[in-house]
Amino acid sequence: MKILQLDSNHHVLKNRLEQHGCIVEDDFHSDYQSVLDKINDYQGIIIRSRIPIDENFLLNSNLKFIARVGAGMENIHIETAKLKGITLINSPEGNRDAVAEHVLGMLLLLVHRLEIASHEVKNGIWLREENRGDELMGKTVGIIGYGNMGKATAKRCSGFGCKVIFHDILPHLEDAYATQVDMETLYSQADIVSLHVPLTESTHYLVDENFIAKMKKPFYLINTARGKNVKTSAVASALKSGKIKAVGLDVLEYEKSSFENLDHLSEELQYLLSSEKALITPHIAGWTHQSKIKMAEIIAEKIIDQLGE
């Protein structure tokens, strides 16, 4: 089987597949059309986010599988892939621990004002009362989306003495770390909201003015899912009013589809970038040295299993 790898990944992925008899060719630079022109030479592709696998791409290919090194599948036209019988593979198990730790890191920085206090001391400002922290112990964390990332986050939050509740569209997911609730319960109880949902029609702008208005208490918001799950203007307004205490965003509404940079800077995003109540990172929650290896290993094993079938 010939496989085209469109993004750079840990070498264990290519090595493992070649040991299994596959021919794996790399193309990390060609544009969409150049890849499309040669796609019929391959039975499988391995992607991250650089090239959109849209309806046109799929209709003009004879692929047996598409493997996404990561969790989200929104850059693949899933309906067309299913129609053509193309197997879709991803690896959310590989970076769930990285994402969960990133969520906790963001929360600790925000509630204990660690980044603010450190910056002040480095600039000769010594303020103790102004930097009094807000403990995680006893707070209610509301997780939306209880897949690999949500479960890993719940496990860590429970270790900090938090009560963890979650909402998911699938039933019967409750475990030792979190209690499944409806959205009304989450609105009324949560002190912290952490998003772990894919980007779909129903989750686009999941957190908007209406969502924020329904929250009964001022809350902390963390988003390590997809940028367009959160409406930037609504969050900026809520930060100004105090309805959102602080926000941690690893993903932004204005990210390019490749996640490599921003399309533009809106006035609301510029406000967040200048606010001490906003902690923003460049889509790196799942981006650790360990997750790079784990995702490559998991994708390799899933592809090998698929070949066996």
Side-chain angles (χ1 to χ4, degrees):
M1 175 171 280
K2 287 185 69 177
I3 300 170
L4 181 62
Q5 185 170 218
L6 292 175
D7 298 275
S8 176
N9 294 293
H10 194 276
H11 59 78
V12 69
L13 173 53
K14 185 174 182 177
N15 291 348
R16 196 75 62 85
L17 293 174
E18 289 180 336
Q19 289 168 6
H20 202 72
C22 297
I23 299 169
V24 183
E25 297 180 0
D26 298 333
D27 186 346
F28 305 151
H29 305 293
S30 291
D31 61 16
Y32 173 93
Q33 188 58 50
S34 298
V35 173
L36 182 59
D37 288 343
K38 63 179 181 180
I39 196 59
N40 282 329
D41 293 337
Y42 304 92
Q43 290 78 52
I45 54 172
I46 300 169
I47 65 169
R48 287 209 312 262
S49 304
R50 188 174 66 86
I51 298 287
I53 311 301
D54 58 16
E55 184 177 16
N56 176 62
F57 189 102
L58 293 168
L59 290 174
N60 288 281
S61 74
N62 293 307
L63 293 169
K64 301 299 183 186
F65 74 84
I66 302 167
R68 164 75 159 85
V69 183
M73 305 287 273
E74 69 273 4
N75 61 327
I76 302 169
H77 200 278
I78 294 174
E79 292 79 9
T80 303
K82 289 180 177 178
L83 188 65
K84 293 199 67 177
I86 301 170
T87 299
L88 301 179
I89 302 167
N90 65 345
S91 54
E93 309 92 336
N95 62 354
R96 62 187 173 194
D97 296 320
V99 170
E101 289 186 13
H102 196 93
V103 171
L104 260 294
M106 282 187 144
L107 278 174
L108 290 169
L109 282 169
L110 291 170
V111 302
H112 287 283
R113 297 175 59 86
L114 299 180
E115 184 181 36
I116 298 166
S118 176
H119 178 76
E120 289 175 351
V121 172
K122 288 178 180 180
N123 286 278
I125 303 169
W126 189 273
L127 298 174
R128 297 186 66 226
E129 183 58 35
E130 291 84 350
N131 285 307
R132 191 181 286 275
D134 188 15
E135 295 179 13
L136 289 178
M137 174 70 79
K139 284 188 169 48
T140 297
V141 177
I143 292 173
I144 304 179
Y146 208 62
N148 281 278
M149 315 303 177
K151 291 176 182 178
T153 300
K155 183 177 181 179
R156 284 152 181 84
C157 289
S158 65
F160 276 78
C162 298
K163 174 185 176 182
V164 186
I165 59 177
F166 72 90
H167 178 76
D168 195 283
I169 59 173
L170 297 178
H172 313 305
L173 298 179
E174 189 166 320
D175 58 23
Y177 303 109
T179 302
Q180 189 160 7
V181 299
D182 58 27
M183 280 303 299
E184 293 305 316
T185 302
L186 191 143
Y187 290 139
S188 66
Q189 294 186 10
D191 301 294
I192 297 162
V193 173
S194 186
L195 303 184
H196 300 280
V197 293
L199 181 60
T200 65
E201 191 173 312
S202 62
T203 64
H204 185 263
Y205 284 171
L206 173 65
V207 176
D208 59 7
E209 293 88 350
N210 185 50
F211 179 102
I212 293 167
K214 289 181 178 179
M215 292 293 294
K216 302 303 181 186
K217 298 183 276 187
F219 66 102
Y220 296 94
L221 173 66
I222 305 291
N223 186 17
T224 55
R226 287 293 182 261
K228 288 183 173 61
N229 294 143
V230 169
K231 188 175 181 181
T232 307
S233 59
V235 170
S237 295
L239 273 181
K240 292 174 184 177
S241 70
K243 187 62 183 285
I244 292 180
K245 290 184 173 182
V247 60
L249 301 175
D250 181 56
V251 290
L252 295 170
E253 179 183 352
Y254 304 109
E255 276 183 88
K256 291 184 177 180
S257 59
S258 64
F259 306 143
E260 292 300 319
N261 213 318
L262 297 175
D263 278 328
H264 70 284
L265 288 174
S266 68
E267 182 179 339
E268 294 86 0
L269 179 55
Q270 288 176 329
Y271 169 78
L272 294 182
L273 293 173
S274 65
S275 173
E276 68 174 23
K277 297 178 182 179
L279 182 63
I280 299 177
T281 51
H283 205 131
I284 56 168
W287 206 253
T288 63
H289 298 291
Q290 292 79 11
S291 70
K292 184 176 183 180
I293 297 171
K294 286 189 283 187
M295 285 193 293
E297 290 175 337
I298 288 167
I299 283 292
E301 292 308 312
K302 287 185 177 181
I303 292 174
I304 290 168
D305 288 345
Q306 175 65 25
L307 295 178
E309 292 176 10

